[in-house]
Amino acid sequence: MPITPSKLIWMDGELVPWDEARVHVLTHTLHYGCGVFEGIRAYETSQGPGVFRLTDHMVRLANSAKIFMIDVPYAVEELVQAVKDTVAANELPSCYIRPLVYLGYGEMGLNPLPCPVQVSVAVWPWGAYLGDEGVANGVRMKISSWQRHDPNAMPPAAKGTGMYINSSMAKVEALKAGYDEAILLSPQGYVSECTGENIFVVKGGRVITPPVSAGALEGITQSSVMAIARDEGFEAEVGNLLRSDLYTADEAFLTGTAAEVVPIRSVDDRVVGKGEPGPITRRIQEIYFAAVRGQVDRYKDWVEHVR
Ligand code: PMP
């Protein structure tokens, strides 16, 4: 989806004009993919832009960095403030937010430790990642021939830039084959997640999503949806799923900050349920879309206001 430029990007403590937010070609992360990032959304609320679970995203960013031994020169609170300042400075009612921690121009070679650790925060207006049609009527999924990382090859708990080569290959494969999105399995054959989203199935009224041990990122939308599902009285659990569980599910959907909550219409050409968004998916979607806009009292703390 094309980027609509905003005005200012936060780079190492300063807001710089969009077109001047540049890096050197010998930026370490550009070569070896050792960086960490987040994807966050700010929604329009009655009190101005509200960032959904901002602190939780920044804690995950700090943990991702810790896993890769990247020493972020800012505390979580400072990163939270940097995001708020960037959203406010760009005067957008709602936006997608992309904080990035990367290793800059310093030394070359596989040891990243001598390189300067740099941080940027960019924001821009962004619509539904898998399209409005996907949100409304569901998407067609294909199980990828690419596997999710083995946890001892790449740590699934980290949102590392280089790890996304795996996702990009799966995404391209699915799109070229005429599907909307890919589902990756773990090396052990369990369902892991999608290229940039967690996956859920609904079976016999139970809502199930795969664990980190199957290679899935611990999604913030995933944990929000688990809370919503439980609060709605559904049994919601983290558990291993086989690909056949996807084919025979009553309902299935995917979750992510960019994608939000998107029903799954089919997997490998097997229609899921009735081939349309099921009632539990619809209910969860409805509550999620209200919660992110600060319209559900119970989840008001999830929205962190910029001003
Ligand atoms: N899995 C992967 C691989 C992702 O990139 C994302 C997006 N960050 C997710 C799951 C969903 O995570 P979240 O709900 O925190 O955006």
Side-chain angles (χ1 to χ4, degrees):
M1 209 187 293
I3 297 175
T4 307
S6 58
K7 290 194 283 199
L8 298 161
I9 294 182
W10 192 95
M11 287 185 92
D12 304 314
E14 277 176 55
L15 287 163
V16 303
W18 180 275
D19 288 332
E20 289 169 28
R22 299 198 183 98
V23 294
H24 195 277
V25 73
L26 293 181
T27 295
H28 195 276
T29 299
L30 214 49
H31 296 251
Y32 303 117
C34 188
V36 296
F37 69 107
E38 272 303 319
I40 313 173
R41 272 188 193 269
Y43 290 88
E44 191 167 357
T45 78
S46 54
Q47 296 163 65
V51 186
F52 190 65
R53 299 187 63 177
L54 172 58
T55 302
D56 292 331
H57 277 281
M58 287 318 192
V59 167
R60 187 171 69 185
L61 184 73
N63 284 332
S64 297
K66 185 175 186 185
I67 291 169
F68 291 134
M69 284 192 146
I70 298 174
D71 197 5
V72 186
Y74 302 97
V76 165
E77 303 73 47
E78 292 173 303
L79 295 167
V80 163
Q81 194 55 49
V83 167
K84 289 184 178 178
D85 292 347
T86 313
V87 174
N90 282 286
E91 300 177 308
L92 294 167
S94 63
C95 56
Y96 181 76
I97 304 162
R98 171 53 58 82
L100 171 69
V101 177
Y102 60 101
L103 301 162
Y105 168 52
E107 290 187 19
M108 200 42 83
L110 267 298
N111 176 12
L113 299 178
C115 292
V117 180
Q118 299 189 248
V119 183
S120 62
V121 181
V123 306
W124 64 90
W126 222 24
Y129 176 64
L130 295 175
D132 293 328
E133 162 68 20
V135 173
N137 298 318
V139 288
R140 295 176 61 242
M141 309 289 288
K142 177 173 172 36
I143 294 185
S144 185
S145 70
W146 297 101
Q147 288 178 352
R148 204 40 147 179
H149 309 291
D150 180 292
N152 277 321
M154 288 279 196
K159 197 168 162 59
T161 58
M163 296 171 70
Y164 281 80
I165 296 172
N166 176 254
S167 283
S168 290
M169 289 195 299
K171 184 81 187 181
V172 169
E173 182 186 63
L175 292 178
K176 292 246 178 224
Y179 297 85
D180 300 309
E181 175 58 315
I183 298 166
L184 293 108
L185 304 180
S186 72
Q188 290 73 34
Y190 294 110
V191 176
S192 179
E193 58 175 347
C194 312
T195 64
E197 304 88 14
N198 292 106
I199 192 164
F200 283 78
V201 303
V202 180
K203 231 176 189 177
R206 277 160 65 226
V207 177
I208 311 160
T209 188
V212 189
S213 57
L217 183 74
E218 271 188 317
I220 287 167
T221 319
Q222 180 190 44
S223 85
S224 310
V225 160
M226 291 293 274
I228 291 169
R230 286 185 183 133
D231 290 342
E232 283 300 293
F234 303 118
E235 249 182 78
E237 61 195 72
V238 174
N240 274 321
L241 294 168
L242 296 168
R243 66 192 289 172
S244 50
D245 292 319
L246 301 174
Y247 301 156
T248 61
D250 300 329
E251 301 180 31
F253 59 91
L254 52 85
T255 65
T257 299
E260 304 174 302
V261 179
V262 178
I264 294 175
R265 233 168 51 211
S266 66
V267 179
D268 292 342
D269 304 311
R270 276 85 165 172
V271 168
V272 175
K274 296 197 171 85
E276 59 188 41
I280 295 178
T281 305
R282 277 275 176 256
R283 182 79 191 122
I284 288 172
Q285 245 188 344
E286 194 185 324
I287 298 170
Y288 180 77
F289 283 122
V292 294
R293 288 171 178 81
Q295 294 162 358
V296 184
D297 274 345
R298 179 180 234 158
Y299 308 126
K300 273 218 153 56
D301 290 350
W302 282 347
V303 178
E304 298 177 45
H305 292 283
V306 164
R307 289 189 203 90

